[in-house]
């Protein structure tokens, strides 16, 4: 699977265009993140700890710069979220998936719903992180400081664990959303939890985490060569998306060639041995031949060869004595 993941970003008729736009967005995102960090440090220095005797930079200018770079970073990330949904939709249930076209970067509907799913899963972690940050600003005084610090440390620890759990579950939720076409599928926690703790997904997620931890930092070092680092970084991002989508698809039981997954009730009826409306609508494959039909045809052919084939009325009680075909059969006899 790892080899397929490395080759996946190169597939598709518009791979060159995807690399071009994806590389530009990757570069914009990286530059914006660095700029946000530097402007935030400058803003903190200008408003909190300004050097004596030197006029600090204008906080208004820094705030405008911070908002500008945050906006650029947000636009790039939203575009990548739309592309990630397209990757999940192509990979899930497809025997030979190819990389999405360049139009996947501008699918705002998929991107917006993907961001909503991500924020919903990150909500516990963000809340606990906010509580930890709030405890830092509280000066209770006396023995209460110890209690506040303990609460803050515990909230920070739980927030980190909740964030890690969200990072683990979100890819499964995204594959369900992309494959089944409804945002409610992403919040079917029982199905997401059941798939997330299967061997297929654990292995795929571990491989994707290895790429992020080991290979992505190497790609960042290649930014010294500019375009090489940008292209490699984008390539690794798509590789990670493939690994997560493929492993989640296998864990969810999406068979290759299926356009949508069966509904929960249909799946339950199938597991229980019953039939569903979807199954009844399926055509019977041509290679499935009834054993009874085969045996009847063989017996009729053998009887006809031996000259002992019974009369049509004996073969089928529904055949009338006045049937021309039956009369012709009797005449030849």
């Amino acid at each position: 699977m790892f080899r397929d993941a490395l080759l996946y970003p190169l597939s598709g008729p518009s791979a060159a265009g995807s690399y071009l736009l994806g590389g530009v967005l990757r570069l914009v995102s990286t530059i914006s993140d660095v700029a946000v960090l530097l402007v935030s440090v400058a803003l903190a220095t200008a408003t909190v700890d300004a050097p004596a005797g030197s006029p600090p930079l204008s906080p208004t200018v820094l705030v405008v710069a911070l908002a500008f770079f945050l906006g650029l970073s947000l636009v790039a990330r939203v575009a990548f979220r739309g592309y990630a949904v397209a990757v999940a939709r192509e990979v899930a249930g497809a025997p030979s998936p190819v990389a999405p076209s360049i139009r996947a970067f501008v699918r705002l509907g998929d991107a917006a719903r993907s961001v909503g799913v991500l924020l919903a899963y990150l909500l516990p972690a963000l809340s606990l992180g906010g509580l930890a940050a709030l405890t830092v600003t509280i000066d209770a005084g006396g023995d209460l400081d110890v209690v506040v610090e303990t609460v803050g440390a515990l909230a920070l620890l739980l927030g980190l664990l909740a964030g890690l759990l969200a990072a683990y579950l979100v890819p499964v939720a995204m594959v369900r959303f992309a494959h089944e076409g409804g945002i409610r599928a992403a919040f079917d926690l029982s199905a997401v939890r059941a798939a997330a703790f299967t061997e297929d997904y654990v292995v795929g997620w571990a491989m994707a985490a290895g790429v992020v931890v080991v290979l992505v930092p190497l790609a960042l070092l290649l930014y010294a060569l500019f375009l090489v680092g940008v292209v490699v970084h984008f390539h690794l991002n798509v590789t990670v998306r493939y690994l997560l989508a493929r492993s989640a698809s296998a864990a969810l039981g999406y068979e290759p060639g299926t356009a949508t997954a069966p509904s929960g009730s249909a799946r339950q009826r199938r597991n229980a041995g019953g039939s569903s409306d979807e199954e009844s609508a399926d055509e019977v494959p041509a290679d499935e031949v009834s054993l009874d039909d085969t045996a009847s045809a063989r017996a009729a052919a053998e009887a006809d060869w031996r000259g002992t084939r019974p009369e049509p009325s004996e073969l089928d009680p529904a055949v009338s004595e006045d049937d021309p075909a039956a009369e012709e059969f009797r005449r030849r006899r």
Side-chain angles (χ1 to χ4, degrees):
M1 183 172 68
F2 188 72
R3 179 177 177 274
D4 293 337
L6 288 176
L7 295 177
Y8 174 76
L10 301 172
S11 62
S14 59
S18 297
Y19 269 89
L20 179 60
L21 182 55
V24 171
L25 291 174
R26 188 74 270 169
L27 182 62
V28 170
S29 176
T30 302
I31 293 177
S32 299
D33 292 343
V34 174
V36 166
L37 179 62
L38 295 178
V39 173
S40 298
V41 172
L43 183 61
T45 302
T47 57
V48 177
D49 192 20
S54 61
L57 294 174
S58 172
T60 303
V61 174
L62 293 176
V63 168
V64 172
L66 182 62
F68 173 75
F69 287 114
L70 281 175
L72 283 181
S73 179
L74 180 61
V75 169
R77 277 174 164 73
V78 168
F80 276 120
R81 295 307 303 179
Y83 193 81
V85 173
V87 170
R89 184 175 291 117
E90 292 289 337
V91 172
S96 300
V98 296
S101 66
I102 194 173
R103 292 190 298 271
F105 286 104
V106 294
R107 291 175 180 169
L108 298 181
D110 284 346
R113 287 181 289 179
S114 175
V115 171
V117 172
L118 178 63
L119 291 178
Y121 274 85
L122 286 175
L123 185 60
L126 295 175
S127 300
L128 290 170
L131 177 60
L134 181 62
T135 58
V136 176
T137 62
I138 297 177
D139 186 12
D143 296 336
L144 291 178
D145 278 340
V146 178
V147 176
V148 172
E149 292 175 0
T150 302
V151 171
L154 184 61
L156 180 61
L157 177 61
L158 293 177
L160 292 176
L161 293 176
L164 181 60
L165 181 62
Y168 184 76
L169 296 178
V170 163
V172 182
M174 290 299 180
V175 169
R176 282 185 56 83
F177 155 63
H179 188 67
E180 301 196 12
I183 197 171
R184 290 185 178 180
F187 297 105
D188 187 353
L189 297 182
S190 59
V192 171
R193 184 176 62 252
F197 295 99
T198 59
E199 182 180 357
D200 290 329
Y201 185 68
V202 171
V203 172
W205 193 89
M207 293 173 65
V211 173
V212 172
V213 173
V214 178
L215 297 181
V216 170
L218 296 178
L220 295 178
L221 293 178
L222 292 176
Y223 269 69
L225 302 177
F226 193 62
L227 291 180
V228 175
V230 171
V231 171
V232 173
H233 195 183
F234 173 73
H235 182 94
L236 293 177
N237 285 156
V238 180
T239 299
V240 169
R241 297 297 179 188
Y242 176 92
L243 289 171
L244 294 174
R246 176 58 75 188
S247 58
S249 176
L252 289 166
Y254 294 156
E255 298 178 358
T258 57
T260 57
S263 61
S265 59
R267 189 184 297 113
Q268 292 172 0
R269 288 196 298 271
R270 185 179 300 126
N271 294 337
S275 62
S276 65
D277 295 338
E278 295 177 1
E279 292 173 334
S280 62
D282 294 338
E283 294 183 359
V284 179
D287 56 348
E288 292 186 7
V289 181
S290 171
L291 294 179
D292 294 337
D293 295 341
T294 304
S296 300
R298 185 180 302 169
E302 183 178 357
D304 192 27
W305 177 76
R306 294 177 180 274
T308 59
R309 185 180 181 96
E311 296 290 336
S313 59
E314 296 176 4
L315 285 174
D316 187 359
V319 176
S320 172
E321 294 290 339
D322 299 332
D323 193 331
E327 181 64 26
E328 178 66 18
F329 185 86
R330 294 190 191 92
R331 186 182 65 78
R332 291 184 179 181
R333 291 285 298 236

